Amino acid sequence: MQRALHYKLLILYIILVLTGHGAFCQDTERPLAPVLDLVTVDPLSGFSTLNWTPGGSADVAGYVIYRYSEGEGIAFDTIYNPYATSYTYTVSYANSFIMEYVIAAIDSSNNTSPLSNPLNTVFSECSLDTCRHEIIIEWNPYRSEPHLVTEYKIYSSVNGSEPTEIGSTGNTENSFTFSDFKTSMTYCFTVSALIEGGRISSSNQACIQTFIPRPPAWINGNYASVSENTSKLSFTYDENSEIRDIRIESSPYRDGPFTPVTTLYSSPFTFSYTDENTEAKPLYYRAAAVNSCSEALVYSNLITAMDLVAERVNESLMLRWSAYYQFNGGLNEYRIYRIEKGTENLIATNNPADTVYLDKLSNFAFTANDDHICYYIEAVEGNNPHTSSYLASSDTVCIYLEPLVWMPNAFTPNGDLVNDEFYPHLSFTPVEFYFIITGRSGIRLFETNSYPGIWDGTAGGEKLRPDVYLWFLRVKSPGGRIIEKNGTVTILKN
């Protein structure tokens, strides 16, 4: 009887030990750590999937999943399945930033293994460089432990199409430049790390809209007109342009090099600018539409600050000017203006190839009212394909004229309307005037302060006999010059 009881107690003890319920035989042995083989992201959902290999312990009841940060695991889920080798985290954090994970095995006694090796997701981003027409795709490196990364492949989809491979990089590179794209499209990119053993870790999907501001189809240099050593410039550009930053450049040479004068931001489609540093002429200008990197995308035609020179050559004034270059509508003609008595008069037109004009002094020598005569040139555009046609003018150039006084030496005041009067001939309108006629004895026969001082050969209402008479003239020119002259005049018939 006692022997039977002893056997029963022994069997109960063995059962307690084997089931772990014995007070003196609690299981404290930790299972072996699993190996985390792969972490990948579903590009569309952003869910992370983990794949692992069990550590080899016989007693495994499940696995604990951890987020991993700064060497520490933070448990967020447990799988009570000893045969599980994968897990999908159905929160789309991996769409927004890098996720790093570790796992651990647990046994039937709730013993937890050491943490596995850490692995991270691949997080990709993309940016558009509108200046260089490039999309830059960047990503963080995938850990090459325990399995080596061999390369990265980059895939693209356009407006929701199926992804296609667009390139690859070595296992140490973490960026890729893509330039073969069209504007106003949505491009999405994923990066796949190719890992030894045929494993692939995919990144999230990074998307971007390829909006690049449309440059102007054309920029028209309307004109460059010069006034008092400043150049007034005018330009018009395509109203469909989405780029409205315009840089103005200048050069003393048609072929450059050109240097920036100013940049106008958000400029209107027709705009003007005055360049005050234009003493050296001719000066050539152009406008360029520039992008956010200050790179010129479209240039205008050249417009010219013309240089006009006037000089006296014998009995003429010679005008020479630099050719105007280059109206979009072509150069139709040059117009030459003379300024007399404060009034501008068109005195001639030249064909586009002719930049010289001779103005004879006899055309105006006795009509001017100043010691200076002034001119300017106007370049006339032909039919412009983009805008209305324009005019460009040179600076106004004045030349000093020696005041001219010419006195006849005889006249015939006989009433036949031919050479009946005697008076000074001046190349200007005097601001002061004194004119006197005397006989040989010194008796005053005619005196006046009123220009033009016409004498009809009489004194006191009586005709004078043919003879030689004396005259004296004192005038002040508009330029302030005092001129005094005297001489004789002969009455031939009266």
Side-chain angles (χ1 to χ4, degrees), residues 87-108:
Y87 171 83
T88 298
Y89 187 27
T90 56
V91 180
S92 56
Y93 289 148
N95 268 342
S96 303
F97 43 80
I98 302 167
M99 296 293 293
E100 195 163 13
Y101 301 95
V102 291
I103 63 172
I106 56 172
D107 63 15
S108 57

Side-chain angles (χ1 to χ4, degrees), residues 147-421:
H147 309 292
L148 181 66
V149 175
T150 58
E151 64 177 326
Y152 293 97
K153 287 192 174 182
I154 300 90
Y155 297 84
S156 170
S157 67
V158 186
N159 292 340
S161 65
E162 285 296 316
T164 58
E165 182 181 339
I166 59 172
S168 62
T169 71
N171 62 358
T172 60
E173 298 176 62
N174 302 112
S175 68
F176 181 81
T177 300
F178 179 55
S179 57
D180 186 20
F181 65 90
K182 297 179 181 179
T183 60
S184 302
M185 300 283 191
T186 299
Y187 282 80
C188 292
F189 303 92
T190 57
V191 178
S192 291
L194 275 59
I195 306 162
E196 287 179 330
R199 299 175 179 87
I200 298 175
S201 177
S202 295
S203 74
N204 60 299
Q205 187 178 71
C207 298
I208 197 167
Q209 289 186 321
T210 57
F211 171 72
I212 297 179
R214 183 190 304 115
W218 51 267
I219 305 175
N220 187 72
N222 299 334
Y223 62 82
S225 288
V226 186
S227 177
E228 297 180 354
N229 282 327
T230 65
S231 294
K232 183 176 182 181
L233 316 173
S234 175
F235 297 89
T236 300
Y237 63 100
D238 175 18
E239 292 190 3
N240 293 316
S241 175
E242 294 168 338
I243 291 179
R244 301 186 63 178
D245 295 345
I246 305 294
R247 183 172 66 223
I248 299 174
E249 302 172 348
S250 69
S251 174
Y253 310 103
R254 287 185 189 177
D255 298 328
F258 285 82
T259 58
V261 175
T262 189
T263 300
L264 305 176
Y265 298 97
S266 300
S267 66
F269 294 112
T270 295
F271 63 92
S272 298
Y273 178 78
T274 299
D275 184 12
E276 297 182 353
N277 186 26
T278 59
E279 290 188 9
K281 294 182 291 294
L283 199 58
Y284 301 94
Y285 293 92
R286 67 184 184 185
V290 295
N291 60 22
S292 58
C293 298
S294 296
E295 295 174 335
L297 303 177
V298 178
Y299 284 104
S300 72
N301 55 299
L302 297 184
I303 53 177
T304 310
M306 291 186 291
D307 183 32
L308 172 63
V309 176
E311 59 182 337
R312 185 166 179 170
V313 179
N314 299 324
E315 297 305 312
S316 296
L317 295 182
M318 176 182 283
L319 308 180
R320 292 180 291 107
W321 60 93
S322 55
Y324 189 90
Y325 190 83
Q326 59 188 147
F327 283 128
N328 269 329
L331 180 61
N332 194 47
E333 65 181 6
Y334 293 108
R335 295 173 182 169
I336 299 97
Y337 289 85
R338 185 198 304 134
I339 302 175
E340 305 174 74
K341 300 179 181 179
T343 301
E344 301 174 0
N345 296 297
L346 175 63
I347 60 172
T349 60
N350 275 18
N351 65 58
D354 191 356
T355 57
V356 176
Y357 179 75
L358 284 176
D359 194 17
K360 294 182 179 179
L361 289 173
S362 60
N363 293 334
F364 57 87
F366 298 104
T367 61
N369 68 340
D370 203 346
D371 295 350
H372 294 79
I373 194 77
C374 299
Y375 299 89
Y376 72 90
I377 307 299
E378 202 170 62
V380 182
E381 185 178 18
N383 294 324
N384 191 298
H386 303 302
T387 68
S388 57
S389 298
Y390 285 90
L391 304 172
S393 60
S394 72
D395 206 349
T396 298
V397 173
C398 299
I399 187 169
Y400 175 78
L401 296 177
E402 182 74 23
L404 301 178
V405 177
W406 177 74
M407 300 292 291
N409 57 14
F411 73 118
T412 58
N414 57 3
D416 64 356
L417 303 180
V418 178
N419 198 23
D420 279 340
E421 298 172 332

Side-chain angles (χ1 to χ4, degrees), residues 66-124:
Y66 301 81
R67 285 196 292 269
Y68 189 68
S69 177
E70 297 180 355
E72 182 179 351
I74 304 169
F76 65 88
D77 203 353
T78 302
I79 306 169
Y80 291 101
N81 179 358
Y83 304 106
T85 58
S86 69
Y87 171 83
T88 298
Y89 187 27
T90 56
V91 180
S92 56
Y93 289 148
N95 268 342
S96 303
F97 43 80
I98 302 167
M99 296 293 293
E100 195 163 13
Y101 301 95
V102 291
I103 63 172
I106 56 172
D107 63 15
S108 57
S109 298
N110 284 326
N111 295 311
T112 304
S113 74
L115 298 178
S116 72
N117 58 294
L119 284 180
N120 57 268
T121 60
V122 177
F123 177 67
S124 64

Side-chain angles (χ1 to χ4, degrees), residues 438-460:
T438 65
R440 295 187 193 189
S441 62
I443 297 174
R444 295 185 180 185
L445 304 174
F446 175 78
E447 185 177 14
T448 184
N449 293 105
S450 298
Y451 175 74
I454 298 173
W455 182 46
D456 61 2
T458 65

